[in-house]
Amino acid sequence: MRALSITVLLLMMTATAHAAAPKVAVFNFDWLDTSLEGEMKGRRSDEQARLLHAADQLREEMKQSGRFELLDMSSLNVAAQGRNLQACGGCDVQLAQQIGADLVITGLVQKVSNLILNMNITLRNVHTGRLVATMSADLRGNTDESWSRAMSYLVRNRLLAPNYGAPQPQ
């Protein structure tokens, strides 16, 4: 009876270990301003604040889903700052490996004008370096509300959608 209890306990522990939420590194978003305003006036403080809020909102919505374990990014912030993490040849994966991540998320917001912006999120497997999913949303209007709605849409309808990014049978 004791051997059976130990066996059941070990099986339960193994099942729990396999069901553990993936550890995710979510970097702050990068900014690409191709607008005439950006060329003439440079960076705006409200847009930089929105970039930080977008990443925070993504982390919070992922945390609330209960499907991910979000990792502390403070040790990587300096190394990641000023790099285009979506186009750095895998530096995002290398950085995420340093903190034991299973998945890494990078984001980029492109400003075409104050009316037209685009939010992009990329999810990679840290162990293989392979792209898991990429998602994009166009924003109309450069406001806190438009950015927040775009992020909520991407999380709800892409990142947390069942089997999003999984290979589909042909």
Side-chain angles (χ1 to χ4, degrees):
M1 183 68 162
R2 184 177 171 123
L4 179 60
S5 297
I6 292 173
T7 303
V8 169
L9 181 61
L10 287 173
L11 287 173
M12 287 173 47
M13 287 172 42
T14 302
T16 303
H18 290 298
K23 296 176 184 173
V24 183
V26 180
F27 284 99
N28 289 335
F29 280 38
D30 289 319
W31 176 248
L32 176 61
D33 190 345
T34 57
S35 71
L36 180 59
E37 177 191 25
E39 185 176 330
M40 306 234 354
K41 296 181 180 177
R43 291 183 159 214
R44 290 180 18 192
S45 60
D46 61 330
E47 293 167 339
Q48 298 309 304
R50 286 187 192 110
L51 276 178
L52 292 174
H53 182 265
D56 289 342
Q57 180 181 347
L58 174 59
R59 289 180 192 105
E60 184 59 30
E61 291 188 26
M62 290 178 69
K63 182 180 174 183
Q64 287 179 1
S65 77
R67 294 173 49 184
F68 304 96
E69 178 186 338
L70 281 100
L71 299 174
D72 179 8
M73 301 295 293
S74 58
S75 65
L76 301 179
N77 286 339
V78 173
Q81 193 170 10
R83 295 173 118 174
N84 181 349
L85 294 174
Q86 292 191 340
C88 63
C91 69
D92 57 329
V93 170
Q94 294 168 356
L95 290 168
Q97 286 172 340
Q98 294 176 20
I99 59 170
D102 299 310
L103 300 169
V104 61
I105 293 180
T106 58
L108 173 76
V109 176
Q110 179 187 5
K111 178 180 175 182
V112 177
S113 70
N114 264 328
L115 180 62
I116 303 169
L117 296 99
N118 184 270
M119 185 178 289
N120 302 280
I121 298 173
T122 302
L123 174 67
R124 293 186 189 281
N125 180 317
V126 173
H127 304 292
T128 65
R130 290 186 166 222
L131 181 67
V132 174
T134 186
M135 54 210 77
S136 181
D138 288 336
L139 293 74
R140 293 298 177 255
N142 190 4
T143 66
D144 293 345
E145 182 180 1
S146 66
W147 283 54
S148 180
R149 285 184 179 207
M151 179 57 72
S152 289
Y153 171 84
L154 289 172
V155 171
R156 183 179 62 253
N157 296 298
R158 297 296 185 259
L159 188 61
L160 298 179
N163 297 318
Y164 182 76
Q168 301 298 313
Q170 306 233 354

